[in-house]
Amino acid sequence: MAATAPGLTPSQRLTTLAATIDATPADATTGLPYTYLHTQTWARATNAITRTDLRRWRHDADGSGQEITRRLPDVPGINHRPQPDEPTLFAKARETSTRHRAGDLHPYLPTPPPLDPAALAGLLTPRELAAESAYPRMLTGGIVGLATSQYLNREQRAACLRVLAAVPGITYAGASTDIAGRPGLAFTVTADESTSTLIVDARTGELLAAHERLTGQRPGLFSHVLVLERGHTTKAGATLRP
């Protein structure tokens, strides 16, 4: 695999990966009306970590749709590290379904997001902040926000990888596995008293997981997200797998 060859800088690895990623079966379904995303998120509240499983269907034309949410009990404190057994526990949690009217669900960025990396970076984080110490964190967080809110086809995933390649101070942490057991390549950004790790599928360029821990005041987990399914469906509530 070209992106894992020895001697490459992190930027070169990401640029190489962007040039070689494959399409996915879901890339052929973008003409269907509903964007579907299934995520699991661990997020810091004031003194606890919330745990949420979310399946969202958004009608691309009018912003209507449906969300199905499952919640696990909050974990007291802020130092929790999500464990490999936790993703499967959501199946036993109570399910809440919410219908949304037209205009209720908005894309993270106007669709389609630009393929030019500079233009995409400018939409994710204002260019006038590029000299700020928080800029790498903000730009990385923007990529995570986009990948966990909208479906990205192969060209759009490649653009995101090229944006990551230009993040100041990004490092390569080698081959890794997320807590759902999926293998990928890990990249890390440390800035603004925060360390973020992104795990990217080496074949498709999809973001599999992102983990951020704060290192300043009240250090501990800030967020951890898994992107488990993504694609398009004919109607809200429809699943990608039979």
Side-chain angles (χ1 to χ4, degrees):
M1 187 183 303
T4 59
L8 297 179
T9 67
S11 178
Q12 288 170 335
R13 290 187 193 283
L14 284 159
T15 302
T16 300
L17 185 60
T20 57
I21 58 174
D22 294 335
T24 68
D27 286 338
T29 68
T30 54
L32 299 179
Y34 284 89
T35 293
Y36 169 67
L37 288 167
H38 179 195
T39 62
Q40 291 178 347
T41 303
W42 291 251
R44 178 188 291 215
T46 302
N47 291 300
I49 301 299
T50 64
R51 301 181 291 176
T52 306
D53 178 289
L54 175 64
R55 288 180 286 160
R56 175 186 290 134
W57 293 262
R58 183 178 63 83
H59 193 279
D60 293 334
D62 68 9
S64 63
Q66 181 181 4
E67 293 181 317
I68 296 178
T69 304
R70 296 177 186 266
R71 289 280 303 272
L72 293 177
D74 294 351
V75 181
I78 56 176
N79 285 311
H80 179 66
R81 291 184 178 271
Q83 299 299 308
D85 66 324
E86 289 184 65
T88 61
L89 298 179
F90 286 103
K92 300 178 182 179
R94 184 173 63 87
E95 181 178 283
T96 300
S97 180
T98 305
R99 292 278 183 175
H100 294 277
R101 295 178 296 180
D104 283 352
L105 298 176
H106 302 281
Y108 192 84
L109 290 182
T111 55
L115 299 182
D116 176 71
L120 178 57
L123 286 179
L124 293 170
T125 306
R127 291 187 180 90
E128 56 267 26
L129 299 179
E132 300 291 331
S133 61
Y135 180 75
R137 179 190 183 192
M138 295 169 63
L139 189 52
T140 303
I143 289 292
V144 174
L146 178 60
T148 56
S149 302
Q150 292 179 221
Y151 185 84
L152 301 173
N153 62 26
R154 178 170 58 177
E155 291 77 14
Q156 293 159 355
R157 296 193 299 272
C160 288
L161 293 172
R162 293 185 175 103
V163 170
L164 284 176
V167 172
I170 192 166
T171 62
Y172 175 57
S176 186
T177 304
D178 69 13
I179 63 169
R182 299 172 299 174
L185 305 180
F187 295 88
T188 299
V189 174
T190 298
D192 193 36
E193 299 185 324
S194 160
T195 297
S196 297
T197 300
L198 281 62
I199 300 179
V200 179
D201 189 299
R203 183 179 61 84
T204 65
E206 295 172 293
L207 179 69
L208 301 177
H211 181 94
E212 182 178 5
R213 294 190 71 85
L214 300 184
T215 56
Q217 293 185 351
R218 302 190 73 224
L221 179 68
F222 183 74
S223 67
H224 187 112
V225 61
L226 301 176
V227 187
L228 297 174
E229 295 179 284
R230 68 209 99 197
H232 293 81
T233 64
T234 56
K235 61 182 181 180
T239 59
L240 296 180
R241 302 188 182 101

